[in-house]
Structure formats: C-alpha cells, structure tokens
Amino acid sequence: MERSRTSLTVEGRKVPLCLFRPAVAGPLPGLLYFHGGGFTSGSVEEVEITATALAESIPALVVAVGYALAPANPFPAAIEDAHAAAVWLAERAGPLGVAGHDAGGHVAVSLTLLARDRGGPEIAAQALFGPMLDPSLTRVGDGEGSVTDCARCYRAYLPEAALRLHPYAAPLESRRLGRLPPILIATAQNDVLRPEAESYAARLIDAGVPTEVTRFAGVSHAGLANHPPALAAAADFFRRRLTGARPDTSSSR
C-alpha cells in the first residue's frame, strides 16, 4: 500500500488529501472518503483502517478528504471542499465513488446532489456508514447515541435556521432525489441515527435510485466504519459498481 499526501486550496482554505493506493498494476477507480466527527471534528489521520481496507479490497485509489470543519467553516464550506476534491480525483482516476461515516456520510450525500446539479463530475456509486442526514432530528431512534450531541453539531454546521431546510443540508426534505448514483447504506442496529438513514433509503427507492441497505447488529455507531462485515459489504458494492465485478457471495453480512 502506497500512502501519500497533498492538498487543495478552496476559497483560501487548505484542504488536506491523504491518498491510499494499493499495489495493483494499471488504472484504478477512484473513491473519495469523508471522515466522521459531527461536522466539528475528525481528520484524515483517523481513517487509515477504513481507507486501507477499501483501497485493497475494491481495489481503488482512495482519497481521504480533510474537509472544512464547523463552527469556523459552516455550511456549505465542507461540500465545496468535497466538490473540489471530486473534480481533482476525477482527473486522475475513474470511475468515481464516494463514501463517508457519520457527518462524512452527509458530506458524501451533499456532494452527489451538488455534482448532479453542477453537471459533474460524474459519480458512479456512493456508500454511507451510519450517516447524519436529518437536521430536524425528527426521525431519530431510541438506540445508542445522543440527540443532544447531534443537535449541537447541527447548530455549528447550520447556524442559520433557514439552512436546515436547504436540500444539500436536509436531503430527507428534498423533493429532487432522482438521477443520483446507486447507493449502499450501512446502519448499526442500535444506532440512534438508524431510522433516518433507512428513511433516506426509502426515499431514494421511491425516486428510482438503485439502493441497498444493510443493517449490522452488535456494532456501535462509532465502530461501524471499521466493522469488517460493513467494510466487506461496501467493498463488494464498489467492486460491482466501479469495476463491473460480480457480487462476492463469500463475505459475511
């Protein structure tokens, strides 16, 4: 595995990129990965296990993106950083996938909406691990996790109340979910965020988006992105969508 670093400058901000390239000859698909942290914390240094597993298993050139964090850089700074990273990676690898955990799942979703509306770059597939998707917090469950913490994170990321209805900030409220890339959503059985993620899946199915949902028991929200069965499911999904490989029926779900 070859690891390297570079950065982009977006609206005067430095956006760190950490590249994970497996030892595979020939061209590779590209995968952007967005870390968790509730929009206010996290970094590319924290995703080595996830990024390495996906890079080797797909295989793909995985680029972890150090998108701008709130409250210093509220919406839409993170998704502008994500879009710039997508343009950069699309020039170097393809086809292109995106993935993210927690708030990174939200960034990934927002990026697919933004790329669709701006006419590119084309994103072929997306995978979400326990995503934060509902600023209204009206679809939370009774599982592990703090709704109070989620509310604090959304206040930092979306400081103006009107922003919480913006389609890029509140995808569950959007009436325009068509023409989005195929998606895999991985959830944890006892995660307080599971209902909103599965509600989003239902909305995408209604909009005609190819959608797969896999729920995992015995794993926490925080541990979902490093959970071997979840990583295996995501790698299998991206192999099919980015390389045209047949499904891997040997992985444990």
Side-chain angles (χ1 to χ4, degrees):
M1 176 67 63
E2 177 186 347
R3 297 174 178 82
S4 59
R5 292 177 179 270
T6 187
S7 64
L8 304 176
T9 300
V10 182
E11 300 178 354
R13 298 185 299 274
K14 184 177 180 180
V15 182
L17 304 179
C18 187
L19 285 63
F20 299 79
R21 185 181 184 91
V24 176
L28 291 170
L31 177 65
L32 292 173
Y33 187 81
F34 302 101
H35 63 77
F39 305 105
T40 63
S41 65
S43 70
V44 296
E45 284 76 19
E46 299 175 6
V47 303
E48 182 171 358
I49 293 174
T50 305
T52 298
L54 292 173
E56 292 179 337
S57 299
I58 297 172
L61 171 60
V62 176
V63 178
V65 182
Y67 57 88
L69 298 177
N73 295 287
F75 175 90
I79 61 173
E80 291 294 349
D81 292 354
H83 187 264
V87 171
W88 182 89
L89 184 56
E91 295 172 350
R92 292 161 175 81
L96 183 63
V98 299
H101 171 234
D102 185 75
H106 190 292
V107 173
V109 166
S110 299
L111 172 58
T112 64
L113 296 165
L114 187 63
R116 177 198 63 187
D117 296 345
R118 288 185 177 174
E122 183 176 354
I123 297 172
Q126 55 179 321
L128 314 179
F129 300 93
M132 297 178 66
L133 297 173
D134 183 18
S136 73
L137 296 174
T138 58
R139 300 170 179 88
V140 294
D142 297 327
E144 164 255 344
S146 168
V147 176
T148 300
D149 286 345
C150 290
R152 174 183 53 78
C153 292
Y154 278 122
R155 284 195 300 271
Y157 183 58
L158 305 166
E160 300 177 23
L163 292 176
R164 297 170 197 175
L165 293 176
H166 192 289
Y168 297 162
L172 276 163
E173 308 301 337
S174 176
R175 298 180 180 179
R176 296 181 59 247
L177 294 178
R179 296 189 301 111
L180 292 176
I183 188 170
L184 169 72
I185 300 179
T187 64
Q189 174 70 39
N190 295 320
D191 186 359
V192 71
L193 299 178
R194 178 179 59 77
E196 66 192 63
E198 295 178 356
S199 293
Y200 186 58
R203 292 287 317 282
L204 291 173
I205 291 169
D206 290 344
V209 177
T211 303
E212 301 177 29
V213 185
T214 306
R215 186 190 298 177
F216 296 93
V219 61
S220 68
H221 170 81
L224 185 60
N226 292 338
H227 187 49
L231 288 172
D236 177 53
F237 171 78
F238 282 124
R239 274 195 301 272
R240 288 184 278 119
R241 295 296 180 177
L242 301 182
T243 73
R246 295 182 178 181
D248 180 3
T249 58
S250 65
S251 61
S252 176
R253 302 287 181 90

